[in-house]
Amino acid sequence: MRLHQLDITAFGPFGGSQGVDFDDLSAAGLFLLHGPTGAGKTSVLDAVCYALYGSVPGARQSGQGMALRSDHAAVGTRTEVRLELTVAGRRLEVTRQPPWERPKLRGKGTTVDKAQTWLREYDAGAGTWKDLSRSHQEVGEEITHLLGMSREQFCQVVLLPQGDFARFLRADAEARGKLLGRLFDTRRFAEVEKRLAERRRTTEARVREGDATLLADAHRMQQAAGDAMEPPELAPGEPGLAEAVLTAAAVARSTARELLAVADCRLTAAESAQAAAERDLAAARELDRLQRRFGEARERAARLAERADAHRTAQARMERARKAEGVAPALELRDAADAEHRRAAAAEERARAPLPQDLADAGLAGLAAAARRAAEELGGLDSARRAERRLAELVGERTRLDRQERADEDVLHEAESWLADWETTRTALQAHVDSAQEAATRAEQLAVQRDPAQRRLNAARQRDQYAADTEDAQRQALASAEQAVEARAHWLDLKEQRLNGIAAELAEGLTEGAPCAVCGATEHPDPARRIAGHVDREAEEHALAAYQAADERRAVAERRLGTVREALAAATAEAGDAPTARLTEEAEELERRYARARASASGLHAAQEELRRAEHEREQRIAAQQQAAVRAASRVGNRERLESERSALEEELTRARGTADSVAARAAELELRAARLTEAADAARVAEDTAQRLKDADARLADAAFRAGFDTPKDAAAALLDDTAHRELQRRLDAFDAEEAAVRAVLTEADTAAAARRPPAGLTAAKHTAADAGRRLREASSARDAAARRCAELDRLSAHATTSVRRLAPLREEHGRVARLASLAAGTSADNERRMRLESYVLAARLEQVAAAATARLQRMSSGRYTLVHSDDRTGRGRSGLGLHVVDAWTGRERDTATLSGGETFFASLALALGLADVVTDEAGGVRLDTLFIDEGFGSLDDQTLDEVLDVLDALRERDRSVGIVSHVADLRRRIHAQLEVVKGRSGSVLRQRGDG
């Protein structure tokens, strides 16, 4: 991948359009990206990442979407990033525009435009660009496929963040594992570990569940077998559980079958004894029944003899009732006619009572004629009733007209009064609206001034704080420089003293007969000896370490001083020389004026609404005034029409009422009179008819009684029986005859008479004997059934347990196999000698490749002193980790990378980053990376080491690579001629580019 051209507009700190020609910068192999802190050096790299992946690096992902837009951009300028690059032999151009909020084309306010993405490819044959896609997803997939790296890998391999690799050097195994896992995507191995652990838990749960079921069967078998079985005292999952359960079940089944055989024998004997007792009891019961039957028959015969006279009397009474039944219809007919006549006479008397005396004594014809005359007079009152109803309606209409007239007069008076004050009201409301509108305009003007005033005040406060920090940083830098000089002088003094006494150290290693390491002699007649105050190697190394630590503190202090000075210059440029107190007063006064204007403007909408409501009310009152006048004119004609109609109706009603108060009262009188006369005539007619029917019924009854043999109709009526009495008398006669026949039949039975002559039956003793035999049979049967159920239940449970054991066998085998694999992958198995997890094992192999690739550059940067090696030493919880050590050729010792000094840590982490870039590139499919960026860290190097590091980076050109160094170290501007400078200002940052030479 090689970058050619980057164009950014309204992105990050860049308010306008800026361009970067990477072809010009890359011509020299090395180029420098520099500028003051906060100018936007990192934003250039963010733009490259955003163009490729649609998002910025992970540590700055909070700036996504509309937040990527520059605060310095003009209102109508859209944020855009365009990158031209060559990857996989194809020259592409990617353009991305994040979503942005722009002014509406019509009306006021703003609207949000969606994000846009374009991908084009250069056709060398045609010499033109052709469009490939405008889909966010398609463009992202195409770029990721061509680069062969995710965004995280790209940011770690192309945009080399030195801070991350310095932490990587000093990190523990877990932290290294997270970074390497993210770069090499070893999630599939972690997923294998997870899946194996899940399968182990699943199979273990299934085995435990099967064992729990097996134990449950054992406890149920114990309940069924009673004391004949002891369940195994093992927990689910323990070995030998299945065999113990099956053995206990077999013993319980054998014992249960023996008990069943004994119960069968006892049941057979009890059944025989119970059958004999039942036969004896049946014979005693039969004899007792016959003896009691004969005695009861003798008693019933005596009672029948006592009731013989009453029986004959009942027979005579039944015969007389049968004769009277022939007279019953005539009796019923006469009773009905008599009752009907009495009711008709009473009704006639009630109907004549309300009539006048002359009509109360009149005959049927007189009543009918009087009723017809009243009905004819009532029919003539219909017209008068309609006239009376209409007159009432006219009174209501007249009342309604009077009420409407009073209401319209009130409306006219109120409208005239309100409209007289309209001009005064409108003027006051309009003045309120104008005042609120002016306050809103002032608030908008003051709002524009607030943000610049507040930014200037904040910058002044930062300026004051940075001024104090600068003085403190200067003191610390001076003190740390003096300490570094003193530590260096002390180290050089000790080194010189050690060199002067080095002979004594060599002499201590001499052995008689062994050659000297300096002269080769085997005899040592006068070896040198240590003198007082001798400086050994440990003291010299301790002084050297103290000097290096002091020098590191000096470098840190100088970097802090430079950072604080840059921040002070930026804050001073923003705030100027104005005192902070004065800027505070100005900002607070501006806030007070703005608050007052906002408060006054807040009533604008309410004032406008009040004016609008007043104008609407004026229109309504004018319309109401006009409508009231129209209604008053129409009421004059209605009044005249109603008065004429009322006079005519009153004359008609006077004639129709007569002496009554109203037509309705007269009609009610006539209706009541006609009804009473009609009712009295009808009642008289019915009374005459019923009297004739009663006379005919008396004659028929006398004739029927004579023919039936009764002297008078009254005798026939007395002989009659109603249905209930007849049924009861017949029942007594039938019962007597049936009882007499039954007694005679029992007394003539041969077996009953023979039984009566025998001694009394011993029924009680036979019952006791049979009850004892039945109880013994039930006990034997219950015991046998219980034994049979126990055998059946034990057979069922034993079969179920056997099936469960067979089903659990493959599950146990699978659990053992999965558990061994899971423990091996998790690093907890004894077979895993280094106790290394599967993912850690894969990452360790990758780290070993990275260490080998990094060593090739580290040895050159350190003049052959340092070598990076991977270590499998156990770290943390007793497992093998991802150790990373450095071998010091000067001492021959291997030590942890955390012991490196600040400068050594930088070039070691740089070598590690470059080595990791090579390995990740190979892992991603050998994608060629022609452009790399290194972010900061060069300020910790001395001149000699810086030269060596730059030589290594310059050697990357042999692989046709270009490296961009992101730093604000001043010395790099002299050493690297191709530069891209970021210059910040109050209106945003700009880019200045200078090529090689």
Side-chain angles (χ1 to χ4, degrees):
M1 181 199 74
R2 177 178 293 278
L3 305 182
H4 299 294
Q5 180 70 32
L6 174 67
D7 296 312
I8 53 181
T9 302
F11 182 87
F14 304 102
S17 296
Q18 303 292 322
V20 181
D21 186 352
F22 284 110
D23 288 336
D24 182 46
L25 290 173
S26 302
L30 283 178
F31 63 89
L32 177 66
L33 175 57
H34 67 94
T37 301
K41 301 186 296 296
T42 306
S43 295
V44 176
L45 308 184
D46 289 347
V48 173
C49 183
Y50 180 72
L52 294 175
Y53 293 96
S55 61
V56 297
R60 299 180 291 277
Q61 286 192 47
S62 59
Q64 297 293 324
M66 288 186 286
L68 295 174
R69 180 171 175 79
S70 175
D71 294 335
H72 304 284
V75 175
T77 302
R78 178 157 191 176
T79 302
E80 180 180 274
V81 177
R82 180 182 291 108
L83 177 65
E84 185 179 341
L85 72 159
T86 296
V87 58
R90 301 168 61 185
R91 186 153 184 158
L92 304 174
E93 180 189 77
V94 186
T95 303
R96 291 187 186 269
Q97 294 178 345
W100 76 306
E101 188 176 4
R102 61 168 177 81
K104 291 183 178 178
L105 299 178
R106 297 179 180 177
K108 298 181 179 179
T110 60
T111 185
V112 177
D113 281 352
K114 297 181 179 179
Q116 301 290 331
T117 302
W118 294 272
L119 178 63
R120 300 196 304 169
E121 182 175 5
Y122 184 72
D123 187 350
T128 58
W129 290 92
K130 62 178 181 180
D131 294 331
L132 296 182
S133 177
R134 296 192 63 173
S135 168
H136 300 300
Q137 182 177 357
E138 291 179 358
V139 172
E141 292 176 353
E142 181 70 11
I143 293 296
T144 303
H145 172 70
L146 292 175
L147 291 176
M149 291 180 287
S150 65
R151 178 176 59 83
E152 290 78 9
Q153 290 176 316
F154 177 85
C155 295
Q156 202 73 37
V157 173
V158 178
L159 312 179
L160 303 180
Q162 292 306 297
D164 285 356
F165 284 98
R167 288 190 294 272
F168 183 80
L169 280 174
R170 295 187 173 94
D172 56 12
E174 183 178 359
R176 288 198 184 104
K178 289 181 180 179
L179 176 61
L180 292 174
R182 188 169 65 249
L183 292 177
F184 292 105
D185 192 14
T186 57
R187 290 174 295 180
R188 59 188 184 278
F189 300 103
E191 187 65 23
V192 169
E193 297 177 24
K194 180 180 177 182
R195 290 292 298 276
L196 286 174
E198 290 177 352
R199 284 195 60 190
R200 177 177 60 188
R201 289 192 294 271
T202 301
T203 55
E204 182 180 7
R206 293 171 64 188
V207 169
R208 286 183 177 275
E209 181 180 356
D211 284 351
T213 303
L214 197 60
L215 277 177
D217 288 343
H219 287 291
R220 284 193 289 270
M221 283 189 283
Q222 181 193 20
Q223 294 174 356
D227 298 333
M229 174 181 175
E230 288 293 335
E233 297 181 355
L234 297 173
E238 294 187 19
L241 176 64
E243 293 77 5
V245 170
L246 293 180
T247 301
V251 173
R253 290 173 61 199
S254 176
T255 303
R257 286 191 175 87
E258 293 176 0
L259 295 175
L260 178 61
V262 173
D264 285 336
C265 294
R266 292 178 178 174
L267 177 61
T268 301
E271 287 175 347
S272 299
Q274 196 269 342
E278 286 293 334
R279 287 194 298 272
D280 294 342
L281 177 61
R285 283 175 174 169
E286 180 62 19
L287 178 60
D288 180 71
R289 184 185 68 80
L290 293 174
Q291 289 176 346
R292 285 188 288 104
R293 177 179 176 82
F294 186 82
E296 291 173 355
R298 295 285 298 271
E299 293 176 358
R300 290 162 61 191
R303 290 194 295 271
L304 287 175
E306 295 174 355
R307 294 159 46 199
D309 293 340
H311 178 64
R312 287 190 290 273
T313 301
Q315 287 178 331
R317 179 76 177 87
M318 178 63 73
E319 182 63 24
R320 187 172 176 81
R322 289 195 182 96
K323 292 179 179 180
E325 289 177 355
V327 187
L331 283 171
E332 292 176 356
L333 182 61
R334 194 268 176 193
D335 291 342
D338 183 61
E340 184 180 10
H341 176 64
R342 286 197 297 270
R343 287 195 299 271
E348 181 183 9
E349 184 178 357
R350 288 194 301 272
R352 288 178 178 272
L355 297 178
Q357 188 62 39
D358 57 338
L359 293 177
D361 297 333
L364 177 61
L367 291 174
R372 285 195 297 274
R373 289 194 299 273
E376 290 173 357
E377 186 178 356
L378 178 63
L381 292 178
D382 290 341
S383 175
R385 289 175 177 173
R386 289 192 295 272
E388 190 173 43
R389 288 194 297 271
R390 177 56 184 161
L391 182 61
E393 293 175 358
L394 292 177
V395 173
E397 291 181 9
R398 177 64 181 270
T399 303
R400 188 163 53 253
L401 288 176
D402 294 340
R403 187 169 55 253
Q404 290 176 356
E405 183 176 9
R406 288 192 298 272
D408 287 341
E409 289 177 355
D410 293 340
V411 169
L412 289 172
H413 178 72
E414 185 179 354
E416 292 173 357
S417 177
W418 192 91
L419 292 172
D421 298 332
W422 163 243
E423 288 300 327
T424 303
T425 303
R426 187 189 64 77
T427 302
L429 294 176
Q430 186 63 47
H432 192 189
V433 171
D434 296 341
S435 176
Q437 184 66 52
E438 292 175 1
T441 303
R442 288 198 307 274
E444 291 179 358
Q445 295 171 352
L446 292 172
V448 176
Q449 302 173 18
R450 289 172 64 235
D451 290 342
Q454 190 62 43
R455 287 198 300 270
R456 190 178 181 192
L457 175 59
N458 293 337
R461 290 171 177 168
Q462 292 177 352
R463 175 197 64 196
D464 297 343
Q465 181 62 41
Y466 289 146
D469 293 345
T470 300
E471 295 177 0
D472 180 61
Q474 286 176 339
R475 289 193 299 271
Q476 292 183 6
L478 181 58
S480 60
E482 292 175 353
Q483 293 172 2
V485 171
E486 292 175 358
R488 178 180 175 82
H490 178 63
W491 167 58
L492 293 177
D493 289 344
L494 292 181
K495 184 175 184 180
E496 184 177 0
Q497 292 178 27
R498 180 173 178 243
L499 291 176
N500 292 335
I502 195 66
E505 288 189 22
L506 295 175
E508 290 178 353
L510 294 177
T511 304
E512 190 65 30
C516 175
V518 178
C519 63
T522 58
E523 296 181 0
H524 318 295
D526 188 19
R529 288 176 174 76
R530 291 177 181 264
I531 62 175
H534 176 76
V535 177
D536 56 10
R537 180 176 182 178
E538 183 178 358
E540 180 190 354
E541 290 181 349
H542 182 71
L544 176 59
Y547 159 64
Q548 292 174 339
D551 190 60
E552 176 66 19
R553 289 192 295 273
R554 175 198 58 78
V556 171
E558 290 179 353
R559 287 198 298 273
R560 179 173 178 271
L561 177 59
T563 301
V564 173
R565 283 175 174 170
E566 290 179 358
L568 176 60
T572 303
E574 178 73 19
D577 298 329
T580 304
R582 193 186 75 192
L583 293 177
T584 302
E585 292 177 358
E586 293 176 355
E588 291 176 350
E589 176 60 24
L590 187 60
E591 285 294 332
R592 287 192 292 270
R593 292 170 57 197
Y594 175 70
R596 289 195 298 269
R598 284 289 301 274
S600 299
S602 63
L604 175 60
H605 179 71
Q608 290 174 338
E609 285 296 315
E610 188 175 2
L611 178 59
R612 184 187 62 77
R613 288 195 298 270
E615 292 175 344
H616 181 65
E617 184 176 359
R618 174 178 175 272
E619 295 174 357
Q620 288 181 332
R621 289 186 180 274
I622 293 175
Q625 192 178 34
Q626 295 173 352
Q627 293 171 1
V630 173
R631 289 195 297 272
S634 63
R635 276 195 298 271
V636 175
N638 289 338
R639 285 182 184 276
E640 295 175 354
R641 179 181 57 79
L642 293 176
E643 187 62 27
S644 174
E645 187 176 358
R646 184 184 63 81
S647 299
L649 291 175
E650 287 180 350
E651 291 178 0
E652 181 182 354
L653 290 176
T654 300
R655 292 191 301 270
R657 281 195 300 266
T659 59
D661 295 337
S662 64
V663 174
R666 179 60 179 166
E669 291 177 359
L670 292 176
E671 286 178 356
L672 179 60
R673 183 178 181 183
R676 288 176 176 176
L677 289 172
T678 301
E679 182 182 3
D682 293 340
R685 187 181 299 107
V686 171
E688 289 181 358
D689 293 340
T690 56
Q692 182 61 41
R693 285 197 293 273
L694 176 59
K695 184 177 180 181
D696 295 342
D698 285 337
R700 286 195 295 271
L701 176 59
D703 182 62
F706 176 76
R707 287 198 301 271
F710 293 99
D711 296 337
T712 63
K714 184 180 294 185
D715 294 338
L720 278 175
L721 292 174
D722 57 18
D723 292 342
T724 302
H726 186 278
R727 285 194 300 271
E728 178 60 24
L729 182 60
Q730 186 64 48
R731 184 190 65 76
R732 291 203 306 269
L733 293 174
D734 293 344
F736 187 89
D737 295 340
E739 178 70 6
E740 185 177 27
V743 169
R744 188 181 303 111
V746 171
L747 293 177
T748 57
E749 290 177 355
D751 53 349
T752 304
R757 292 191 294 270
R758 293 178 59 184
L763 181 61
T764 302
K767 286 183 177 179
H768 287 310
T769 302
D772 290 341
R775 176 179 54 77
R776 289 192 295 272
L777 176 61
R778 289 192 297 273
E779 291 176 353
S781 179
S782 298
R784 197 270 176 195
D785 291 344
R789 287 195 300 272
R790 181 182 298 111
C791 287
E793 182 67 9
L794 288 174
D795 290 343
R796 185 185 66 80
L797 293 174
S798 179
H800 186 270
T802 303
T803 303
S804 298
V805 170
R806 285 198 297 270
R807 187 174 64 251
L808 277 174
L811 292 178
R812 294 183 190 276
E813 182 180 356
E814 180 185 5
H815 172 60
R817 182 173 62 255
V818 172
R820 288 192 298 273
L821 285 175
S823 300
L824 188 64
T828 59
S829 172
D831 297 334
N832 191 331
E833 296 179 358
R834 293 194 173 274
R835 303 183 67 80
M836 184 181 291
R837 293 173 49 241
L838 176 61
E839 184 182 17
S840 300
Y841 177 78
V842 176
L843 293 177
R846 293 289 187 269
L847 183 58
E848 191 171 4
Q849 295 174 345
V850 172
T855 295
R857 296 184 175 90
L858 179 59
Q859 287 182 338
R860 185 172 177 182
M861 293 181 186
S862 62
S863 301
R865 180 178 178 182
Y866 293 120
T867 301
L868 281 175
V869 294
H870 165 252
S871 173
D872 279 338
D873 292 342
R874 294 185 179 182
T875 60
R877 295 180 294 180
R879 298 189 184 183
S880 297
L882 298 172
L884 193 62
H885 291 176
V886 62
V887 178
D888 190 343
W890 289 7
T891 63
R893 291 189 300 176
E894 180 178 322
R895 52 194 173 98
D896 195 273
T897 53
T899 62
L900 294 174
S901 66
E904 292 169 341
T905 298
F906 167 69
F907 62 68
S909 63
L910 177 60
L912 184 65
L914 294 174
L916 183 63
D918 292 340
V919 175
V920 173
T921 301
D922 295 339
E923 178 74 12
V927 176
R928 184 178 179 86
L929 301 177
D930 299 320
T931 306
L932 300 177
F933 294 92
I934 302 174
D935 191 357
E936 289 297 346
F938 291 87
S940 62
L941 304 179
D942 55 33
D943 293 342
Q944 180 181 355
T945 305
L946 180 59
D947 289 336
E948 292 174 346
V949 170
L950 292 178
D951 288 342
V952 171
L953 295 178
D954 191 57
L956 293 175
R957 287 188 297 175
E958 299 174 1
R959 299 177 64 181
D960 196 21
R961 280 183 174 177
S962 62
V963 178
I965 298 175
V966 183
S967 178
H968 55 67
V969 176
D971 192 41
L972 290 175
R973 303 175 195 173
R974 177 180 55 81
R975 296 170 180 260
I976 302 176
H977 300 290
Q979 299 179 9
L980 178 62
E981 181 181 6
V982 184
V983 182
K984 68 178 181 179
R986 299 185 63 177
S987 59
S989 299
V990 296
L991 297 175
R992 296 177 182 172
Q993 182 171 334
R994 186 179 70 181
D996 187 20

